[in-house]
Amino acid sequence: MKARIFLSCLILGLTQASHHAADWLQFRGPGGSSVSQDSAIPTILSESLIAWKKPLPGRGISSPLAIGDRLYLTASSGPDQDRLHIFCLRASDGSTIWERQFWATGRTMTHAKICVATCTPCSDGKFLYAAFSSNDVVCLDLNGTLVWMRGLTRDYPNASNSLGMASSPVVVENTLVLSVENDSESFAIGLDTAQGLNRWKIQRPKVSNWTSPVVLQRQPGEASLIALMSGSGISFVEASSGVEKAHFDGGGSTVSSVTLANGMLYVPTKGTTALKLPAEASEKAPEVLWQNGQMINSTVSPVVVRDRVYTLNNAGILKCSSAKDGEKIWQLRTTGPYSATPVAAGEFLYLINEKGLLQVVDTKTPEGAITSTLDLQDTFIGTPSLADQALYLRSDKFLYRISEK
Amino acid sequence: MQTRPLTLASLLLLSSVAFSEESPIQILLSVGAEGLNNDRATAAVAALSKAPVAELSNLFAALNQATDLSANYLRAAIDSIVERAIASKVPLPNSELRAFLVDTQNHPKARRLAYEILQKVASKETAELLPTFVNDPSSELRYDAVAQLIQSAEKQKLAGDKPAALAAFKNALNVARQDGQIAKIAWEIRDLGEEVDLPKHFGFLTHWKVIGPFHNDALAGFETAFPPETEWKPDAEYEGKTGRVKWQDLATGEEYGKVDLNPVLGELKEVTGYAHNDFNSPIEGPAEIRLGCKNGWKIWFNGKLLFGRDEYHRGARIDQYRLPVTLQKGANKLLVKVCQNADVKDWTREWEFQLRICDASGTAILAVNRPPTPKAEPKTAPAKSQKKDRKP
């Protein structure tokens, strides 16, 4: 039974639905892939392409969402970082359309490198779901009207991490899934999107975990699964019930997230491990297709573009490998250090390092090549977003739009 | 941007009597744990978000009754109303907001919200109020007012008027409650040649009775009730992890009141220690115990378990945990349990905590018999038998 569910997942890389192809609705974009189908993203960078640079009302690592001509972003501010900001900007000029503030109900202590606004919000195209390190979860409509709010540390008082929570939520089948994994009261939870009530809540390993859940979408009419990764492996749970349907116990990361493409899962463990989702009913767990210990992911997550998988390590080495068998194709030294996962459009990868150096990598060349750079001289920890023929980069103080127009 | 007309449903909802059981505001005040009353709150907040500015006074009044969760529902409606009013140039009730702001009996966060709204529509008049907030219950209003004092003192220092600068910094310290500002002011005062008793300023408890080590093998000590949890006998001896243990004095002069168990109980792993304090309170009433700790911990106050947390080595800071209590005038008993795990990395050596007692604004509540702050950290050598148990 468990394996039958995975049969449908073989097509997941092709069937991830978004309301508009160009929208960027969650952390790492469509399906958590980091890949945009938008081929009009600039590939030759210059300062003149900074369409606007918007000062933000607080700190943040979260990525902006793009829905139509609007951007949605979070921030945190105040001497104790206990002010939670959610705001909407006009994509064309960065002007603020609306802004809401909330008071954190949970603990706001984090490591200095991150902050309370680290989790990227998500959207089903109708509502916005914002989560914060304080474990406050806010649902707004796209015009900024509050629908509901939950304080998960308020409800479950030992659910917190003194280094900060960073997992970004996902929404599927009217269920908002949050991974609230930490050393103490550790769980994953599915909230009904209409009212924010618990649909399910399951215990998770008592270990700090900053990875984000990934939706394994299935054929129409079939329930989706969620991949929840911890250090020991991956639990595949039904999105609507939280019931575990399969398990991979071959290890996992607690920082980088899994990436789904080509009917396979690329797992940042033991270098990189590719799982082929089981197709037969007798199979209890995903089959390990290949492992490559040299494909180290460090902080960022793997990026898969068609038949190639890209990994980026702490030293700034970008590896291009075959998505089919993990064989190395080329590697390229880039300038790190990185916290942000690269994003991809067309044949190009966009890498932003922590010091603000944006690098464009042309993957068509035989050995890969950095073909353009732009030094923004700012601190970037969060992953970029791609939409509306633009690259959106969020520093600790500003949101940048890089585009031809 | 035009003001959106109220829908019929909104009008019907708003027309219910304020603070009656079914009024939109009362519905928002009723939200609670695990989404309690979220279903009704969604409609109520939508209706209130479209209300006219006249509803602001009711919403602000309700903030005084709100929980931390329901306050956010009320605030969402307030933000929507204000944003729409400003965009459509509808006047806000400035005099009412100002009256709410200056009344320190109102909720501190609600007053800060009123202040920020007034800043948008009457910035000059609002800025003139800022110096009056130097001793305010609102930590953020006070923070901004203290920032002005610090700036003023810095100017005097730059101008070379050291006596005036010193006096100004000392004045700022008297009212500062935020850690970063206090650290900055203390540095300046010392730079000008005077000492600062930071543990006393914060209200850290500096003199403790400690006992241990008991075990915390496989982290089981966290849930094990060792004898200090069940009785307070200052002369008692118990069987510990490495032999007989008894209560010892520990005094700390560390700037942020860190009570380091390693030098006294032995730098061990997988151990549990306890610290006891008789706090002789000058007042009866609400207070906060504020703890910083990167080990597993539990706290009992007057025999009642307040909270416990089994997180290890993810960081500690001042006021990491805020635990509301009601002080008895006179004797109050505090017991802190501190558990160390098995990890042997350099950054997991700490076996310590810091604890202060203050009011909600962070103002120290000092014991009537508070001893002078020690000048230096105690240098008690661990017993040899305890040293042997340390892991490589």
Side-chain angles (χ1 to χ4, degrees):
Chain A
M1 181 61 189
K2 286 182 176 179
R4 286 185 61 194
I5 291 165
F6 282 102
L7 182 60
S8 308
C9 293
L10 288 169
I11 58 169
L12 47 85
L14 304 173
T15 60
Q16 290 158 1
S18 66
H19 294 78
H20 305 285
D23 289 346
W24 195 267
L25 297 172
Q26 65 180 70
F27 178 54
R28 299 190 295 151
S33 66
S34 307
V35 178
S36 169
Q37 301 307 314
D38 191 340
S39 58
I41 310 294
T43 56
I44 307 298
L45 303 175
S46 70
E47 286 194 12
S48 65
L49 294 180
I50 301 175
W52 47 259
K53 177 182 173 184
K54 170 83 171 180
L56 300 178
R59 298 188 60 203
I61 296 176
S62 58
S63 310
L65 304 189
I67 305 174
D69 62 352
R70 293 182 172 196
L71 306 174
Y72 301 86
L73 190 55
T74 62
S76 56
S77 69
D80 295 323
Q81 288 286 300
D82 58 354
R83 288 165 162 254
L84 315 178
H85 303 252
I86 306 172
F87 49 98
C88 172
L89 307 177
R90 194 167 283 105
S92 58
D93 59 10
S95 60
T96 300
I97 297 173
W98 55 258
E99 180 182 353
R100 299 288 175 266
Q101 276 195 51
F102 298 89
W103 292 299
T105 69
R107 290 182 280 277
T108 57
M109 177 177 174
T110 68
H111 188 279
K113 192 170 184 177
I114 67 171
C115 66
V116 178
T118 292
C119 320
T120 295
C122 66
S123 176
D124 49 18
K126 296 176 183 173
F127 297 94
L128 182 67
Y129 308 93
F132 294 86
S133 176
S134 56
N135 288 325
D136 289 298
V137 186
V138 181
C139 172
L140 301 168
D141 71 19
L142 297 186
N143 292 315
T145 301
L146 177 65
V147 180
W148 52 261
M149 178 175 179
R150 289 285 302 271
L152 296 179
T153 298
R154 194 176 185 277
D155 291 342
Y156 313 108
N158 254 319
S160 71
N161 183 339
S162 296
L163 290 174
M165 307 289 289
S167 178
S168 299
V170 291
V171 60
V172 61
E173 295 169 5
N174 301 320
T175 305
L176 179 67
V177 179
L178 300 112
S179 174
V180 190
E181 300 190 22
N182 59 90
D183 290 343
S184 188
E185 198 168 356
S186 190
F187 60 87
I189 195 165
L191 305 179
D192 97 90
T193 54
Q195 298 176 16
L197 304 179
N198 290 9
R199 281 196 155 174
W200 51 266
K201 177 171 175 275
I202 56 172
Q203 286 192 341
R204 295 287 295 153
K206 283 182 62 162
V207 181
S208 292
N209 188 350
W210 297 273
T211 65
S212 296
V214 168
V215 178
L216 313 186
Q217 288 195 325
R218 303 168 60 208
Q219 291 176 332
E222 294 185 319
S224 294
L225 297 183
I226 305 292
L228 298 168
M229 178 169 60
S230 66
S232 61
I234 302 173
S235 178
F236 299 91
V237 303
E238 203 168 58
S240 57
S241 67
V243 172
E244 185 177 79
K245 295 295 183 180
H247 192 87
F248 169 69
D249 60 4
S253 171
T254 57
V255 179
S256 309
S257 297
V258 300
T259 300
L260 180 63
N262 310 320
M264 293 158 64
L265 270 183
Y266 298 86
V267 185
T269 185
K270 296 169 184 170
T272 298
T273 298
L275 304 182
K276 184 172 178 60
L277 302 176
E280 301 297 330
S282 59
E283 293 176 285
K284 303 294 184 187
E287 172 191 354
V288 175
L289 191 62
W290 54 259
Q291 288 183 326
N292 185 334
Q294 301 301 309
M295 295 169 63
I296 296 167
N297 294 274
S298 301
T299 303
V300 309
S301 305
V303 178
V304 182
V305 184
R306 289 183 289 281
D307 59 350
R308 294 181 174 191
V309 56
Y310 300 92
T311 54
L312 186 58
N313 70 13
N314 268 340
I317 303 298
L318 176 69
K319 282 185 188 292
C320 171
S321 308
S322 163
K324 184 179 177 184
D325 56 18
E327 286 298 309
K328 179 179 138 185
I329 299 173
W330 50 257
Q331 71 177 38
L332 177 69
R333 179 173 291 279
T334 71
T335 305
Y338 296 99
S339 284
T341 293
V343 290
E347 302 292 345
F348 295 89
L349 289 176
Y350 297 81
L351 286 61
I352 180 81
N353 74 13
E354 292 182 3
K355 296 175 181 173
L357 183 66
L358 178 61
Q359 300 155 81
V360 179
V361 175
D362 184 348
T363 64
K364 294 192 305 294
T365 58
E367 297 295 321
I370 296 172
T371 53
S372 187
T373 64
L374 178 61
D375 190 356
L376 295 168
Q377 298 182 336
D378 202 348
T379 302
F380 290 84
I381 305 296
T383 294
S385 301
L386 297 169
D388 187 31
Q389 303 175 25
L391 177 66
Y392 294 100
L393 297 157
R394 189 257 178 80
S395 75
D396 206 35
K397 295 187 173 112
F398 298 96
L399 179 65
Y400 298 73
R401 175 183 164 112
I402 311 287
S403 65
E404 297 282 358
K405 58 177 183 177
Chain B
M1 183 174 171
Q2 285 188 327
T3 304
R4 283 180 290 183
L6 283 173
T7 63
L8 179 60
S10 303
L11 284 168
L12 288 172
L13 197 50
L14 280 171
S15 65
S16 52
V17 179
F19 298 107
S20 71
E21 190 178 349
E22 294 300 319
S23 77
I25 285 177
Q26 200 64 41
I27 289 170
L28 297 193
L29 288 171
S30 72
V31 296
E34 296 190 316
L36 177 70
N37 290 330
N38 274 9
D39 52 346
R40 296 194 300 154
T42 298
V45 76
L48 286 164
S49 295
K50 296 171 184 170
V53 293
E55 192 66 17
L56 287 174
S57 59
N58 288 332
L59 287 163
F60 270 95
L63 281 170
N64 284 331
Q65 309 169 36
T67 64
D68 56 349
L69 181 66
S70 60
N72 279 301
Y73 279 83
L74 295 163
R75 179 180 185 152
I78 290 171
D79 282 349
S80 295
I81 293 170
V82 169
E83 183 178 82
R84 193 175 59 253
I86 291 174
S88 54
K89 296 185 168 48
V90 172
L92 292 173
N94 291 4
S95 57
E96 285 180 55
L97 287 169
R98 183 188 167 103
F100 187 90
L101 166 63
V102 298
D103 183 352
T104 57
Q105 296 302 304
N106 290 320
H107 193 283
K109 286 187 173 177
R111 291 177 53 236
R112 174 72 191 199
L113 176 58
Y115 173 78
E116 292 183 2
I117 293 170
L118 286 168
Q119 274 186 318
K120 293 177 183 174
V121 295
S123 58
K124 187 181 173 191
E125 298 89 325
T126 308
E128 288 170 356
L129 288 172
L130 194 54
T132 68
F133 299 136
V134 291
N135 214 9
D136 200 273
S138 161
S139 58
E140 286 190 287
L141 290 172
R142 180 192 289 247
Y143 180 90
D144 286 353
V146 170
Q148 280 190 334
L149 294 182
I150 294 171
Q151 284 177 1
S152 174
E154 285 176 327
K155 285 179 184 171
Q156 287 168 313
K157 187 181 177 189
L158 276 174
D161 190 347
K162 284 191 176 181
L166 182 59
F169 279 121
K170 289 169 81 172
N171 180 44
L173 182 62
N174 283 338
V175 290
R177 298 292 178 267
Q178 199 271 338
D179 170 39
Q181 288 185 327
I182 290 169
K184 157 77 176 166
I185 297 166
W187 187 91
E188 295 284 3
I189 291 174
R190 287 166 177 160
D191 191 48
L192 291 166
E194 285 212 8
E195 287 300 309
V196 179
D197 187 346
L198 276 185
K200 186 176 181 182
H201 179 83
F202 282 115
F204 285 115
L205 305 193
T206 54
H207 290 70
W208 295 81
K209 293 277 190 186
V210 298
I211 192 168
F214 298 93
H215 82 77
N216 189 28
D217 301 337
L219 305 180
F222 181 79
E223 293 295 353
T224 303
F226 297 107
E229 293 182 26
T230 56
E231 62 180 15
W232 167 235
K233 291 184 178 176
D235 298 325
E237 278 195 20
Y238 307 109
E239 193 61 37
K241 178 167 181 167
T242 58
R244 301 290 288 175
V245 296
K246 60 183 181 181
W247 292 98
Q248 306 176 59
D249 289 324
L250 191 161
T252 176
E254 201 274 336
E255 290 264 282
Y256 286 80
K258 284 182 185 168
V259 180
D260 185 356
L261 299 180
N262 278 325
V264 182
L265 302 184
E267 192 165 331
L268 306 167
K269 302 302 290 190
E270 295 189 279
V271 286
T272 296
Y274 291 88
H276 174 96
N277 192 289
D278 286 311
F279 183 77
N280 197 331
S281 173
I283 59 164
E284 178 180 326
E288 290 185 2
I289 291 174
R290 296 191 181 182
L291 176 83
C293 186
K294 64 182 299 197
N295 304 95
W297 60 270
K298 289 183 179 180
I299 290 183
W300 292 259
F301 181 69
N302 289 333
K304 181 185 173 189
L305 177 64
L306 293 180
F307 198 66
R309 179 154 175 78
D310 54 346
E311 178 187 66
Y312 292 85
H313 298 294
R314 298 301 185 189
R317 75 169 189 195
I318 182 173
D319 298 349
Q320 186 175 1
Y321 304 100
R322 295 172 59 168
L323 307 168
V325 294
T326 301
L327 291 173
Q328 300 171 171
K329 188 169 184 179
N332 294 270
K333 290 197 181 303
L334 259 169
L335 180 68
V336 184
K337 179 178 190 176
V338 189
C339 297
Q340 174 66 295
N341 69 357
D343 206 324
V344 294
K345 299 184 191 75
D346 279 350
W347 46 270
T348 65
R349 290 181 64 238
E350 292 92 346
W351 184 23
E352 63 190 24
F353 68 97
Q354 54 182 170
L355 186 149
R356 69 189 189 116
I357 298 179
C358 59
D359 67 15
S361 73
T363 303
I365 299 173
L366 301 178
V368 294
N369 58 345
R370 179 185 176 86
T373 302
K375 290 295 183 190
E377 288 287 348
K379 300 288 183 186
T380 307
K384 288 181 180 176
S385 61
Q386 294 172 338
K387 276 187 173 175
K388 280 194 297 187
D389 197 50
R390 185 177 178 187
K391 293 199 169 189

